[in-house]
Amino acid sequence: MAILNILHYPDPRLRQKAQPVTVIDSSIKKLVDNMLETMYQAPGIGLAATQVNITKQVVVIDISEDKSSPLILINPEITARQGTVESEEGCLSVPEIFEPVTRAAEITVHYLDYNGQEREAQAQNLLAACIQHELDHLTGKLFIDYLSNLKRNRIRKKMEKRRRLSA
């Protein structure tokens, strides 16, 4: 397995829309395995393929304390949303930035698993927020897009300065 390079905002590649996976073959399984290793090493609780510059509808999530319960979502689609809740979010592509975001409190998601089996799951709380956050990445949307223009511009300037200082 390999650690993949995570793109950082304001990299324009984060705005690309992911394409559906047509066949779950060894290359997709290798991508999932590499994404899990990258997410755990980062460390994070979710990672979308677009964050590692792969425009495929693939997401990995693991909110367990011991990192033993990976959830693989291929071609995911949220089919139901209920209620709203505001919680603080962060992102591996926008490091060290945490802001409150309002999302659906409960969701139903339809997806293919690691072996290509159709699945449907209900999620709430942290898992629901994480799924919504990662699925946004597949459409080129970042959690900071839910913030005011002023906050978003401050974050962009901070991230650009950080990139200049580390170059």
Side-chain angles (χ1 to χ4, degrees):
M1 292 196 289
I3 301 295
L4 304 170
N5 183 42
I6 298 173
L7 302 176
H8 291 129
Y9 177 76
D11 192 311
R13 294 173 291 180
L14 288 167
R15 300 301 187 174
Q16 295 181 64
K17 292 191 185 338
Q19 301 304 310
V21 173
T22 53
V23 177
I24 298 176
D25 57 13
S26 61
S27 69
I28 294 297
K29 290 182 176 188
K30 181 178 179 184
L31 171 63
V32 167
D33 295 341
N34 289 340
M35 286 174 62
L36 283 167
E37 185 175 357
T38 301
M39 177 186 71
Y40 290 138
Q41 190 265 344
I45 61 170
L47 186 66
T50 51
Q51 290 178 271
V52 293
N53 199 28
I54 307 286
T55 55
K56 297 282 184 195
Q57 291 182 7
V58 177
V59 166
V60 297
I61 293 172
D62 192 342
I63 62 168
S64 66
E65 289 291 322
D66 62 355
K67 305 302 181 202
S68 64
S69 301
L71 175 63
I72 288 83
L73 306 170
I74 300 172
N75 298 340
E77 179 184 0
I78 295 173
T79 56
R81 299 173 195 263
Q82 254 188 309
T84 58
V85 65
E86 182 180 83
S87 59
E88 193 171 76
E89 290 189 19
C91 182
L92 294 175
S93 291
V94 191
E96 300 174 23
I97 303 294
F98 299 91
E99 293 288 340
V101 175
T102 301
R103 295 196 183 269
E106 296 180 35
I107 62 166
T108 302
V109 62
H110 184 265
Y111 62 97
L112 300 176
D113 67 12
Y114 187 81
N115 295 310
Q117 299 298 309
E118 284 195 40
R119 303 273 185 213
E120 187 172 85
Q122 280 74 41
Q124 54 194 356
N125 303 322
L126 178 59
L127 182 57
C130 190
I131 291 171
Q132 291 169 85
H133 175 109
E134 298 308 330
L135 268 59
D136 276 352
H137 278 297
L138 300 181
T139 64
K141 191 170 188 174
L142 302 173
F143 87 99
I144 59 172
D145 295 339
Y146 292 94
L147 307 177
S148 70
N149 284 336
L150 179 64
K151 277 189 178 181
R152 198 168 41 255
N153 286 334
R154 282 186 187 154
I155 291 167
R156 183 180 46 75
K157 287 177 183 171
K158 184 184 245 183
M159 297 300 293
E160 287 171 345
K161 181 178 180 182
R162 184 179 295 156
R163 187 176 60 205
R164 279 193 310 274
L165 294 175
S166 67

